[in-house]
Every structure is written in structure tokens, then in C-alpha cells.
Amino acid sequence: MHTTNPGDTDTSRDRSQITATSPTIATATVGGQQNPQILGGKVRISVPTTTREDATRTAEIPESVNQVLLGEKIVGDVLVACGVTLGVAPFMTVVDKAIVQRAAGTHSILSSAGQSLQGMLRNPAAYVKSPMFLMMWGVYAATYTTANCIKTVCEHESNSVSSKDQAKAGLFVGTTAVNSGTTLLKDRAYATMFGTSGAAVKVPMVTYGLWGMRDCMVIGSSFVLPDLVGSALHERNNMEKAQADRIAQFFCPVATQFLAGPVQLLGLDFYNRPLHDLSTYEATLERLRLLKTNFMSIVGARIARIAPAYGIGGIGNTYFRDSWRAMILSRAIRDAMIEKETSDKARRLVPLVVAQDEVERELRERDQSFPIR
């Protein structure tokens, strides 16, 4: 029979002595069997145990945890997208209105921006409720939500190279479709609200085509190109990955505006000035003169707009999205550790419950053998 003092502790990793206190319980380990015996009011049995260090070491999130957390990740994707774009939408609204009015020839970039800022400061509540702000916020909230959710869903698929390539293609196609669809609706409304009185009754198809081309450039430079450029900077220049990604996320969308700006201006010009009375050659020369005159102001405004939209907004989106995911994954790891430890404790309690039952049964038999007189 193996007995120990109540304070003794077995440091063995596999087995330890656990004492269960009871008025009638005692235990002994005989031949590897847990045999409860009455030894002065305590029961002592040898059972497998797991220390907290063991639980920490062995508690792992199961392979299916990503599927379990998918819903929480998507909730975070939506909240982050809406929150980040809410912060940058006012500035983008000012710039977009200024570009449309500059293309229409009714305002300069600075005069239009100044007018919009005055209205925003005088009555911010009315400005936030205005259709031009809500449309802008809706465009970019939908765009970032789509990009975030597509990335999250793709992460739950295979990690093979082909799957990653498909994920990038899906990200580009899905985000471009959502951004182009919502942006075209917004641009048509802006052109109608702030364009010239002599503009076309309907937005011509060539304008939609040019705007669609612009959107492909913007989306590619904002959600696809930064990953490629960031990886190249990291690998070829010995730059930290996080720093390389931030640089790429900021400068790729900005550099693209030297192409996207003129394309947007041409689309607006086709709407504002149909030029049906000119030949194709004359109309082309007229539009090229417009591009030459307004190139720097439009590109400057586009850069000022895209920097918060996809540069600062993209960095903020990445930061808060990663923070959200780190939070829920940390919680999942903590819960897994607690669940593992609780499971081990429950497993250790089973022999004690069995011992308690055996002791009580033995006591009942003893009482029956020695009835009280």
C-alpha cells in the first residue's frame, strides 16, 4: 500500500497524488488499481494529471478553428471597412465634387473645395446626411467590405499556390465589380448634380467605358499591386515586410493617378461636351487640349483624393483588420487552453467520484454488519 502525508506532492509528470477531503474517504493504490480504503477520514488515489504548463503546451486550436471563427472574422471585416471609410469619405466627397465642377468649367478645384468645406463646417449634420456624402461612403464601404470578405473567405480554402493565385484573381474581379458598379452610379449622380446645363441628357457609353477603365486601374493598384510590390521590396531590398507593405500600399494607388486622372477627365468631358458639331479629328484635338490644360490640377486632385481613400484608408483597414483578427484568435487560444485544462480536471475527478461511491457502498455494508444498538 502506498501512503503519503497530506502535504506530499509527486513531481512526476505522468502521475501525482491527489487528495480528496471527506469525513469518510480514504484511498490507496495497490497493484496499479485505484482501491479506496478507509484511512482516518481521507482518500488518496493515484491518477494521471496535467499541469498548467502541459495544458499551455498542448492546448492547440484545432484545424477547424478557422471555419468556426469565419463568421466573427467577417463581422470584423464589415465593421472595419465601414469605420475606416466613414473617416475618409468627407474628404473624398469634397475632392470628387471639385473634379466634376472643374471638368464642367464652373469652378476651380480650390474654389469648389473651399465652398464644400465651408458648408461642411457650418452644418456638419446636414453634410453627413446629404446624398453626395452617403453615396461616397457607400461606394468605399462596399468596396472595402468586399475586399476584406473575399480575402477572409479565400484564407479558409486551400493554401496551395494555385489557390492563392485564384484568390488574387477573385479579389480583383469581385472588388472591381462592386467598386465599378457603385462608383458608376455615384459618378452619374455627381455629373448630373454638378455638371453643366448643356450636358448630355444621358451619360454616354464611352463615358461609362472610360470610368470602368479608371476603376480597374484604381482597384488593381489598391488591392492587388501592393501585395506584389511589397513582396518585391521585402525580398530584394532586405526591408521589413510590414514596412514594405505600408510603402507599397501608399505609393501604388498614388502613382496610378497619373493614368487614372486623365481617363476620368475624358469620361466627364464626353458627358459635359458631346461635341457632335465637330468632326472626330477636331473633337479629338479639343479633348487633348482639355487634358493638357487640366492635367496637373486633375491629377493633383486625384492624388489628394486617393491618398486617404486607398493609401491612408488602406493602411488603416489593414491595421484594424489585423488587430480584430489577433483579438479573436487570442481569445480562441485562451478558450482552447481553458477547455483543455477543464477537460483534464474533469478527467481527474472521475476516479474520485468512483472512489466516493465505492467508499459509501463499503460503509453501508459495514453499517449493515455492525448495526447500531
Side-chain angles (χ1 to χ4, degrees), residues 225-252:
L225 194 58
D227 289 340
L228 302 176
V229 174
S231 297
L233 289 175
H234 169 62
E235 294 170 2
R236 298 179 184 178
N237 296 295
N238 248 359
M239 189 178 296
E240 291 185 3
K241 187 66 169 66
Q243 182 183 9
D245 289 342
R246 284 195 297 268
I247 292 174
Q249 183 66 65
F250 185 83
F251 283 104
C252 287

